[in-house]
Amino acid sequence: MFNSEENPKRLAQIALVILLIVGCIAVLWPMIGAVLFAFVVWICTWPLYSEQLLPRLGGRNTLAATLMTTLLVLVMLLPMIFLAGSLASSADKLIDFARPYVEQGLPLDPPAWLSGLPFFGVEIDTFWHQIASNRAELNALLKQLVVPLRQFGLALGGIAANGLLQVALVIFVVFFLYRDGAKVVHSLYVAAHKLGGELGEEMLDKARGTVVGVMLGIVGTAAAQGTVAMIGFLIAGVPAAVLLGFATFFLSMIPIGPPLIWGGAAAWLYSQGLTGWAIFVVLYGLFIISSIDNFVKPVLMARGAGISILLIALGVLGGVLVFGFIGIFLGPVLLALGHMLFGRWTREDISA
């Protein structure tokens, strides 16, 4: 018990600590996603840095951190810039393709592949003749499309710019984590031991293993999907198959990402009159590309993290709904730690 003179002083100290913690969280909150993801990247690549690169450079932390960060730039940032540039080039080609139709109007008859679509071909053909024969109605339709397309373009550009900024911030933070990694690791284990003793250290190890397992599942699945998709596009004769493979790799981190790529490729093949190859790409996408995400990813995550597939699936889905993208990692980690604590508590209760 504290005497009456010590109580106000202790309360003031506690209040100061709480205010300091709240202030630090408020400062970091706008960047919390990038900072947490930087820790994820650092945790997953720390063995490569500390056991392979750093000893070969004679323990020079700054040089090793610089080389490792440069490698991350090559792996993470450059492909995104290349993909964004390719998408911008494709958008320019699409604008050049659409400009004559906007300036001169639509031909009276729609393309055969468009009017021949099942279920909707007749309605499309009727609507096409209606707007092609009436310039005023075509202009009104174009005006209706301009505003949402402009908003979509601005939103897409904002997302792309924000994504590049976030990746740059991640790489910036990771540099310092690499350079001072040994101190960070020591501080984390000291803090975990002070908070929970051996249990705290065990929880820290469990969190690290879960993060590595989830990253293994995500990157491994993305690489497998991108490679398999590229092979399928090459077989079907889809142009820019390598670029589409890269796009599949990046978009595989969202649930509907890969279908957007192979679905678009199938639509292009159908528009070229290659119906058989379009059907091939659809079946290939459904049963091969997407099946990797549905079956391989949970297995890789569960095996790498050492926990059940159910916890991984619930953690990923719930984490994304609550925390956004970084919830892919936070959700499974929280459930894994909760599962470990529950198991330890029940074992101790039975032994007692």
Side-chain angles (χ1 to χ4, degrees):
M1 296 292 295
F2 300 105
N3 59 43
S4 58
E5 295 181 358
E6 291 178 335
N7 280 336
K9 181 179 179 181
R10 179 54 61 92
L11 290 175
Q13 291 174 341
I14 295 174
L16 181 61
V17 171
I18 293 175
L19 288 175
L20 181 61
I21 293 174
V22 171
C24 292
I25 293 175
V27 170
L28 293 176
W29 189 255
M31 305 169 289
I32 193 66
V35 173
L36 290 176
F37 190 66
F39 271 90
V40 169
V41 174
W42 171 66
I43 290 170
C44 296
T45 56
W46 177 249
L48 174 64
Y49 172 83
S50 61
E51 298 173 10
Q52 300 294 329
L53 183 60
L54 190 59
R56 296 184 180 183
L57 295 177
R60 289 176 285 185
N61 292 323
T62 303
L63 177 59
T66 302
L67 292 178
M68 195 69 181
T69 307
T70 304
L71 178 62
L72 288 179
V73 170
L74 295 175
V75 172
M76 296 175 59
L77 201 56
L78 286 185
M80 292 182 64
I81 295 174
F82 172 73
L83 182 60
S86 300
L87 291 176
S89 177
S90 300
D92 291 338
K93 293 179 181 179
L94 181 62
I95 293 173
D96 293 337
F97 173 78
R99 182 178 289 115
Y101 296 104
V102 175
E103 295 175 351
Q104 304 171 13
L106 297 174
L108 292 179
D109 295 319
W113 67 269
L114 191 59
S115 58
L117 287 173
F119 305 110
F120 308 105
V122 176
E123 288 78 5
I124 292 175
D125 184 79
T126 303
F127 180 71
W128 183 286
H129 282 94
Q130 180 181 347
I131 61 174
S133 59
N134 190 332
R135 180 69 184 184
E137 190 167 349
L138 175 61
N139 290 336
L141 177 63
L142 291 175
K143 287 181 180 179
Q144 292 177 0
L145 294 176
V146 165
V147 174
L149 286 176
R150 182 180 299 168
Q151 292 177 346
F152 176 76
L154 291 174
L156 189 62
I159 292 173
N162 182 66
L164 290 175
L165 180 63
Q166 293 287 331
V167 172
L169 180 59
V170 167
I171 293 174
F172 176 75
V173 174
V174 166
F175 168 81
F176 294 96
L177 291 176
Y178 285 138
R179 192 191 67 177
D180 305 320
K183 296 178 182 178
V184 174
V185 171
H186 177 72
S187 299
L188 288 175
Y189 273 97
V190 169
H193 183 77
K194 287 185 175 181
L195 289 174
E198 293 183 1
L199 177 60
E201 296 182 3
E202 186 179 349
M203 291 179 65
L204 189 62
D205 289 332
K206 189 68 174 180
R208 180 187 62 82
T210 304
V211 168
V212 172
V214 172
M215 178 63 85
L216 173 65
I218 291 176
V219 175
T221 303
Q225 283 189 302
T227 303
V228 169
M230 182 180 63
I231 293 173
F233 296 148
L234 289 172
I235 294 173
V238 178
V242 176
L243 174 63
L244 293 177
F246 271 109
T248 304
F249 172 81
F250 285 106
L251 293 180
S252 67
M253 299 183 187
I254 60 178
I256 62 171
L260 294 177
I261 304 299
W262 57 256
W268 181 86
L269 290 169
Y270 186 81
S271 69
Q272 301 298 310
L274 303 173
T275 307
W277 284 115
I279 295 174
F280 165 78
V281 169
V282 170
L283 296 177
Y284 188 85
L286 284 173
F287 295 106
I288 297 181
I289 299 176
S290 294
S291 66
I292 293 175
D293 182 70
N294 296 331
F295 299 105
V296 176
K297 180 186 287 184
V299 173
L300 287 177
M301 287 183 177
R303 179 172 297 179
I307 58 179
S308 69
I309 295 179
L310 177 61
L311 284 180
I312 286 290
L314 294 177
V316 170
L317 292 176
V320 170
L321 292 176
V322 176
F323 301 107
F325 175 76
I326 196 63
I328 295 175
F329 302 94
L330 291 182
V333 168
L334 292 175
L335 289 186
L337 294 180
H339 179 262
M340 186 187 70
L341 286 176
F342 181 75
R344 191 182 182 98
W345 175 66
T346 54
R347 287 198 303 270
E348 290 177 353
D349 187 59
I350 291 173
S351 62

